[in-house]
Amino acid sequence: MSKRFTAGAVATAAVLALTAASLGVPASAAPSTSRTFTVVAEDGVAADTAVAAIRAAGGTVVSSSDEVGMFQVTSDRADFASRAAAAPTLIGAAEQKAIGRKPKLDRVEQEHLLTASAAAGAAARRGATMDPLDDKLWGLEMIRADRARKVEPGDRRVTVGVLDTGVDASNPDIAPNFNWALSRNFAPDRTDVDGPCEVPSCLDAVGTDDGGHGTHVAGTIGAAANGFGLSGVAPNVSLVELKGGQDSGYFFLDPVVNALVYAGRSGIDVVNMSFYVDPWLYNCTANPADSPEAQAEQRAIVKAMKRALVFAHNKGVTLVGALGNNNEDLGAPRTDTSSPDYGADPYPRPIDNNSCWDLPAEGPHVIGVSSVGPSGKKADYSNYGTEQISVAAPGGWFRDGFGTDAFRTDANMILSSYPKHVLQEEGSVDADGNIVAGFEESVFKQCKANGECGYYTYLHGTSMASPHAAGVAALIVSRYGKPQGRGGFGMSPDQVEQHLYRTAAEHACPEPRLQQYRNEGRDETYDAYCAGGLNFNGFYGYGIVDAYAAVKTPLKPNARP
């Protein structure tokens, strides 16, 4: 997931008609005294009633998403949020300031760039390769995706939504599988966080990614097996960009909710969510440490996200999410000292597990994925816990392999596609498109005879684990899905989830169950206790996803697509 998805990785313009105009007023056009809010109505409240309450509180409705009772509102009243929270028909108002982010240089995902690494490590871990760089994809081998594709490489009719920072469709490994017709951008540029808009509408064209995170995720899910670059878990499925993050890496509530609603409306089969919701590490309904206004804001976020997740699920979307990179048991959260992480100074917040949620990982119908390194050991940064985990998957771990030559090497991480211009901004590729000296083992360039090139780099995090699981889910739909509706194709997300769990490779807790990471240079805050048995435990859930078993094992007789 990013930042924490980083891995940890994680939040905004409601929409009835999915057009640029309905996606919100560009920040550059908004009056200096006006602020924008996301307002969520109480359960069962009619849209007209909610709009009347918003107006009475001093707001103007810009757009709405009826499926989840969410409204985008502008107001120049300094007390609008408190007035909205006091209205009996409204849950609250969340100001549209950054509530999630995937930093440009992530402390978890790009740890190898923040610390001095040893050497490249073992570059080739396998024998016969598929695409030229596939010998570096130990994750494909771990989940047996290299064998699975000989049985089921994916069906073009199966669509996987990448709800992230965008997708660079110019990459030769992404281009063959990119679905231009379904892809959408839900996150217009905001000049306060993104800088000047590149286009007059402030809505970047689909097929672009100024953050890089989404392109990396997309490549792991479904990079084409075309004899070029590298390949993904499900190399024949269709990739759909659902841009919910800003160019700067921030995420807002509205774009995420609108993307989920759109996915449900449009018949997307699988959506990967490698992000988390900020400015609150946990969104709580009534934390005594928070002000009444902050409590109402968090209640609105929780309600909108849960409604959107349920809506998408009920429309046939299999939801896959990263558990996060906060090295924390999600069932026994620590005191939060990092929130809010935007707009105000953080303060200590004791977290009640029964009334606080890390979203979307802890949301309804989300398949939560933890991260393991090449050794199969839970990565030190990965969240865990029997309450929220579903499965584990390769997410990479730079510090894996203590005592071997592989320790602290880039090859322990996940290699995938990445936009050239982002690598140039990060300093690993020069203005001419060449890899800068010193980055030859962490960045790769592949070019065709016609001069068309693709770029690839290493990241690690639960953001990288989740797309491995999403790719397996897409293979399950490809293998066992059935025609649905008017020319549609798909499979019940409940059945996808059941089959994913049933075919995962069981992995017992390590001994001792209390794992410490002192050899890897981590302090006691990284200590993690693995509860549970072989069939299900807090580190691995039902096991490490297994693509080959997923496409070879018949569905249960009572399982209906």
Side-chain angles (χ1 to χ4, degrees):
M1 290 166 55
S2 61
K3 174 174 121 190
R4 262 184 320 232
F5 251 78
T6 283
V10 209
T12 335
V15 59
L16 281 173
L18 294 169
T19 63
S22 73
L23 284 169
V25 180
S28 59
S32 59
T33 58
S34 181
R35 295 183 295 166
T36 304
F37 298 84
T38 298
V39 178
V40 180
E42 288 281 4
D43 291 335
V45 173
D48 290 347
T49 303
V51 170
I54 290 168
R55 289 174 177 167
T60 300
V61 175
V62 176
S63 59
S64 66
S65 183
D66 289 349
E67 292 87 346
V68 295
M70 187 178 75
F71 303 83
Q72 185 181 24
V73 176
T74 59
S75 177
D76 56 7
R77 290 191 65 112
D79 61 348
F80 173 76
S82 59
R83 289 169 62 89
T89 56
L90 304 178
I91 294 175
E95 186 175 356
Q96 287 189 12
K97 56 189 179 185
I99 64 168
R101 68 189 178 97
K102 193 286 170 193
K104 283 293 185 182
L105 194 60
D106 188 273
R107 64 176 179 83
V108 173
E109 291 177 357
Q110 295 172 302
E111 180 187 358
H112 62 308
L113 299 181
L114 298 171
T115 59
S117 61
R125 299 179 184 242
R126 306 168 29 200
T129 63
M130 296 170 286
D131 282 357
L133 296 176
D134 282 354
D135 63 343
K136 305 179 188 304
L137 305 186
W138 57 268
L140 289 189
E141 183 178 14
M142 175 179 282
I143 68 171
R144 302 200 291 175
D146 50 345
R147 296 178 61 186
R149 70 183 54 181
K150 298 175 182 177
V151 178
E152 177 57 73
D155 190 307
R156 188 71 64 200
R157 295 173 294 178
V158 174
T159 50
V160 183
V162 181
L163 208 176
D164 217 293
T165 60
V167 176
D168 179 11
S170 70
N171 186 292
D173 270 325
I174 300 295
N177 294 339
F178 190 76
N179 189 315
W180 290 94
L182 288 177
S183 293
R184 296 288 188 276
N185 179 354
F186 299 92
D189 289 345
R190 291 175 53 98
T191 56
D192 56 340
V193 292
D194 299 322
C197 297
E198 291 90 348
V199 295
S201 68
C202 290
L203 192 70
D204 294 341
V206 297
T208 62
D209 180 10
D210 291 329
H213 192 263
T215 301
H216 199 279
V217 166
T220 296
I221 295 170
N226 54 3
F228 177 90
L230 48 74
S231 58
V233 175
N236 280 9
V237 300
S238 295
L239 298 170
V240 179
E241 174 190 345
L242 302 174
K243 181 171 167 34
Q246 305 301 133
D247 291 351
S248 56
Y250 288 97
F251 284 70
F252 294 92
L253 178 64
D254 282 2
V256 170
V257 168
N258 290 325
L260 288 168
V261 170
Y262 172 79
R265 288 174 176 170
S266 304
I268 305 298
D269 294 295
V270 180
V271 168
N272 184 83
M273 300 175 292
S274 288
F275 58 87
Y276 65 88
V277 176
D278 283 323
W280 310 100
L281 178 60
Y282 289 90
N283 284 276
C284 304
T285 56
N287 193 323
D290 298 329
S291 68
E293 184 173 320
Q295 291 178 4
E297 175 181 285
Q298 291 170 70
R299 286 195 295 270
I301 292 170
V302 169
K303 181 64 72 172
M305 285 296 297
K306 287 187 174 182
R307 285 176 179 170
L309 292 167
V310 169
F311 176 83
H313 172 85
N314 290 344
K315 290 293 185 178
V317 181
T318 296
L319 301 164
V320 184
L323 274 189
N325 299 340
N326 203 44
N327 49 279
E328 185 167 26
D329 182 346
L330 291 176
R334 300 185 295 264
T335 295
D336 173 20
T337 59
S338 64
S339 302
D341 60 5
Y342 180 91
D345 293 331
Y347 52 88
R349 304 171 67 232
I351 300 299
D352 171 32
N353 188 52
N354 294 320
S355 60
C356 300
W357 289 268
D358 180 358
L359 295 167
E362 295 189 292
H365 307 298
V366 177
I367 298 170
V369 187
S370 69
S371 176
V372 301
S375 68
K377 187 176 181 179
K378 184 191 81 69
D380 57 4
Y381 58 77
S382 180
N383 285 348
Y384 59 97
T386 56
E387 182 176 292
Q388 298 301 337
I389 194 171
S390 302
V391 291
W397 183 23
F398 179 64
R399 303 186 186 212
D400 203 357
F402 176 77
T404 73
D405 291 341
F407 180 56
R408 296 175 69 92
T409 58
D410 294 342
N412 287 333
M413 304 174 77
I414 302 299
L415 184 68
S416 190
S417 45
Y418 215 68
K420 178 179 75 172
H421 72 283
V422 178
L423 291 170
Q424 290 174 323
E425 292 171 3
E426 294 175 353
S428 56
V429 171
D430 65 22
D432 295 325
N434 299 314
I435 298 171
V436 174
F439 290 93
E440 297 90 347
E441 302 297 343
S442 61
V443 176
F444 299 87
K445 175 183 179 181
Q446 294 266 300
C447 295
K448 294 182 175 180
N450 63 2
E452 185 180 8
C453 299
Y455 291 81
Y456 311 84
T457 194
Y458 285 106
L459 297 176
H460 74 176
T462 56
S463 284
M464 285 65 251
S466 183
H468 281 87
V472 177
L475 290 179
I476 292 171
V477 180
S478 298
R479 184 70 169 165
Y480 303 108
K482 300 293 183 183
Q484 296 179 350
R486 298 180 178 178
F489 184 84
M491 183 176 174
S492 161
D494 289 331
Q495 297 302 331
V496 176
E497 181 178 3
Q498 178 190 68
H499 196 68
L500 183 71
Y501 297 167
R502 191 164 67 95
T503 58
E506 292 181 340
H507 198 299
C509 283
E511 292 294 344
R513 284 176 177 259
L514 179 61
Q515 289 290 288
Q516 298 178 331
Y517 298 90
R518 302 297 187 277
N519 290 333
E520 290 82 7
R522 300 303 196 184
D523 63 21
E524 67 279 358
T525 63
Y526 285 81
D527 291 357
Y529 182 82
C530 183
L534 175 63
N535 177 257
F536 182 83
N537 60 67
F539 280 12
Y540 302 97
Y542 289 100
I544 298 174
V545 294
D546 188 331
Y548 184 67
V551 300
K552 285 289 288 184
T553 305
L555 288 176
K556 282 189 174 181
N558 62 346
R560 295 178 299 171

